[in-house]
Amino acid sequence: MTNHKTINKEHVVNVAAKLFFEKGFIYTSMDEIVRVSKVSKSNVYYHFSNKEELLDAVIDFWISSYQKDLEIALSQTELSVKEKILLFLDNLSTGIEERDYQGGCPFITLAMQAPNDTTSVKEKISYFFTSLTSVCENLIREGIEKKEFKEEIDAPEVASLFITNLEGALFLAEIKKDNSIITTTAKQLFKLLV
């Protein structure tokens, strides 16, 4: 059973994520988060003693969100590797559109906004990208085994290339307000792999 404090904590994290994208971490005050979330100041500070702790929770929120989307895509055993990747990218595209193209890649957006002394945020983001690259490597290897991709492909290099292209596509989707860039970029990369 979820209690009221947990619901308030999740709500505060969601509101903070939105405000950090709209106004920036530096320009968003804890008082504004309290006001917009309509959660009492004492309850907000019960969960987060400062804005940096809240930023840490926002990063955790995005990691969890991406991991859920990945798990959904990876669990679709009847799909080809390309279809699994496109399913994941479709979920990312929908999320970007739902937040009105703010924070194309939440990790890069928040890493750039984070104060230099918030090492835990940068470490979490670095770990997330290492993990995401590993998942991509495994998918590329699966694609090679299933004869979807060329046999001579270097899975680690292609995985790094894919992540780099994805980040660029997320940035462009945000700037151009066109989330089709995300799947179009992936489909073009797939053409190089077959």
Side-chain angles (χ1 to χ4, degrees):
M1 184 172 128
T2 307
N3 66 33
H4 189 65
K5 282 194 185 280
T6 303
I7 291 169
N8 281 346
K9 181 178 181 180
E10 291 170 2
H11 179 63
V12 168
V13 169
N14 284 321
V15 167
K18 187 175 191 308
L19 289 172
F20 292 166
F21 289 152
E22 288 175 3
K23 301 181 82 174
F25 174 79
I26 293 171
Y27 300 107
T28 303
S29 68
M30 288 294 277
D31 285 341
E32 185 172 15
I33 292 166
V34 167
R35 182 181 54 76
V36 173
S37 69
K38 295 180 173 60
V39 173
S40 72
K41 192 171 196 168
S42 62
N43 197 335
V44 170
Y45 280 98
Y46 171 81
H47 294 293
F48 310 104
S49 61
N50 56 46
K51 200 165 58 164
E52 286 74 18
E53 278 186 21
L54 185 51
L55 176 61
D56 216 45
V58 168
I59 296 293
D60 289 340
F61 164 80
W62 283 113
I63 288 172
S64 175
S65 176
Y66 270 53
Q67 286 173 334
K68 284 177 194 167
D69 286 345
L70 266 173
E71 287 169 13
I72 290 168
L74 295 174
S75 70
Q76 307 302 312
T77 54
E78 74 285 356
L79 297 180
S80 70
V81 170
K82 291 180 205 173
E83 291 169 331
K84 288 177 187 180
I85 292 170
L86 289 173
L87 176 61
F88 172 66
L89 297 179
D90 282 342
N91 288 337
L92 288 186
S93 297
T94 301
I96 290 170
E97 191 172 11
E98 286 173 354
R99 52 182 194 271
D100 197 27
Y101 296 93
Q102 293 179 331
C105 174
F107 302 107
I108 290 179
T109 300
L110 295 170
M112 291 178 67
Q113 293 180 10
N116 289 332
D117 60 347
T118 53
T119 54
S120 71
V121 166
K122 302 208 175 174
E123 286 171 0
K124 282 182 180 186
I125 292 171
S126 176
Y127 177 77
F128 169 76
F129 277 110
T130 300
S131 174
L132 184 60
T133 303
S134 178
V135 169
C136 283
E137 278 182 44
N138 291 335
L139 280 168
I140 305 282
R141 285 188 183 102
E142 182 184 333
I144 293 168
E145 288 169 17
K146 291 182 173 181
K147 310 281 189 231
E148 289 183 53
F149 301 141
K150 293 183 227 176
E151 198 175 300
E152 65 272 11
I153 288 173
D154 184 303
E157 285 182 12
V158 171
S160 292
L161 179 64
F162 180 80
I163 298 297
T164 304
N165 281 335
L166 174 59
E167 289 308 313
L170 289 168
F171 175 75
L172 289 174
E174 177 183 6
I175 298 300
K176 294 185 173 192
K177 298 198 180 317
D178 178 6
N179 59 5
S180 69
I181 292 170
I182 298 165
T183 51
T184 301
T185 302
K187 287 175 183 176
Q188 293 305 314
L189 183 59
F190 291 150
K191 287 181 182 178
L192 300 174
L193 304 179
V194 293

